[in-house]
Amino acid sequence: MKARPYHHGDLRAALLTLAEDTLRARGPAELSLRELAREAGVSPAAPSRHFRTKQVLLDALAVEGFQRLTAAMETSLDRAGETFGQRLTALARTYLGFAAANGALLDLMYGRKHEPDAGAELLAAMHRLKDLATDLIADGQRRGEVRDGEVDLLSLPLFVALQGLTQLTASGGLPADQIEAGVDETIAFILRGYAPDVTP
C-alpha cells in the first residue's frame, strides 16, 4: 500500500504542497482535487473537508504564497542595515529571489487578486505585503532619505520595476549572464528615483 505523504491531521498542508508541485510542473489547468486525493493516498471525497472546490484550493495557495513572501521580506528587513538604501535593497532582492524560484505561484497570486470574487483573506494577505513597501517608504521620508510625496503613489514605481524585471527574466528577455547586473541596475534606478529633491 502506498504510504500517505502526510501525518494525521495534516491533509490540508499536504494538499497545498501537492497542488503547488502540480502548479509548478503543469500549470493550474491541470490541477484537480481528485488527482490530488490520489497522490495523497486518500479517498476522492477527502479533500472536500478542506477545499470545497478547486478554486478555493487555488485561493488558499495564493494566500500561502503571499504569507511566505511577506515573511521572507520581513526577515530580510530585520537583517538589513538601517538606511533606506540598505533596506530597500534587501526587500527588492528578496522579492526577486522569491519570484525567480516561484514563478508559477507568483502568477497565481497576482492573477487571483484582480478577480471580482477574490476573497477577503487573499486581499488582506496582498495588502500586508504592500504595507511592507509603503511602511519602508514612509520611514525613509521621516528619516529624510526619500523625497516628499503620497506614499501609495511612491510605492507604485517600486512594484512596477520589480515585477517588470521579474517578467523580463522569466520570459528569457534578459540573458542569464546579465541578470545579476540587471538586478543591481534596477535597484540603483529605484533608489535614484526616491532620492530627496535638491533645491538650489
Side-chain angles (χ1 to χ4, degrees), residues 88-135:
L88 184 135
T89 297
L91 184 148
R93 286 192 172 278
T94 300
Y95 181 93
L96 293 168
F98 181 93
N102 302 277
L105 179 59
L106 199 72
D107 287 344
L108 172 68
M109 290 158 55
Y110 284 108
R112 277 302 292 163
K113 80 182 182 71
H114 295 299
E115 295 298 328
D117 63 339
E121 187 180 12
L122 176 59
L123 295 176
M126 183 269 293
H127 283 298
R128 283 193 293 273
L129 177 65
K130 181 183 177 184
D131 287 346
L132 280 181
T134 54
D135 289 349

Side-chain angles (χ1 to χ4, degrees), residues 147-171:
R147 63 185 174 86
D148 293 335
E150 174 60 42
V151 171
D152 283 339
L153 288 177
L154 288 178
S155 69
L156 182 60
L158 174 61
F159 287 111
V160 169
L162 294 180
Q163 194 61 13
L165 183 58
T166 295
Q167 294 296 329
L168 186 64
T169 302
S171 68

Side-chain angles (χ1 to χ4, degrees), residues 3-185:
R4 296 183 179 184
Y6 69 96
H7 299 292
H8 180 69
D10 286 342
L11 178 58
R12 184 181 188 279
L15 290 171
L16 286 172
T17 297
L18 291 169
E20 186 173 354
D21 290 343
T22 301
L23 183 71
R24 182 181 295 111
R26 293 180 285 162
E30 297 298 319
L31 193 150
S32 77
L33 292 177
R34 181 174 293 275
E35 178 66 17
L36 292 178
R38 186 190 66 75
E39 292 182 21
V42 297
S43 72
S48 65
R49 293 198 294 267
H50 301 282
F51 307 109
R52 297 188 317 277
T53 66
K54 169 182 169 178
Q55 192 57 66
V56 171
L57 184 145
L58 287 172
D59 284 354
L61 189 57
V63 168
E64 184 179 271
F66 276 116
Q67 291 171 341
R68 280 163 41 192
L69 177 53
T70 300
M73 292 171 76
E74 287 173 338
T75 298
S76 71
L77 288 173
D78 288 342
R79 296 173 178 171
E82 294 186 3
T83 70
F84 175 74
Q86 290 170 325
R87 294 173 67 74
L88 184 135
T89 297
L91 184 148
R93 286 192 172 278
T94 300
Y95 181 93
L96 293 168
F98 181 93
N102 302 277
L105 179 59
L106 199 72
D107 287 344
L108 172 68
M109 290 158 55
Y110 284 108
R112 277 302 292 163
K113 80 182 182 71
H114 295 299
E115 295 298 328
D117 63 339
E121 187 180 12
L122 176 59
L123 295 176
M126 183 269 293
H127 283 298
R128 283 193 293 273
L129 177 65
K130 181 183 177 184
D131 287 346
L132 280 181
T134 54
D135 289 349
L136 176 63
I137 293 168
D139 182 63
Q141 288 178 325
R142 287 190 292 269
R143 296 164 63 97
E145 298 178 89
V146 175
R147 63 185 174 86
D148 293 335
E150 174 60 42
V151 171
D152 283 339
L153 288 177
L154 288 178
S155 69
L156 182 60
L158 174 61
F159 287 111
V160 169
L162 294 180
Q163 194 61 13
L165 183 58
T166 295
Q167 294 296 329
L168 186 64
T169 302
S171 68
L174 187 64
D177 61 349
Q178 294 182 16
I179 290 176
E180 186 60 28
V183 170
D184 290 341
E185 285 298 322

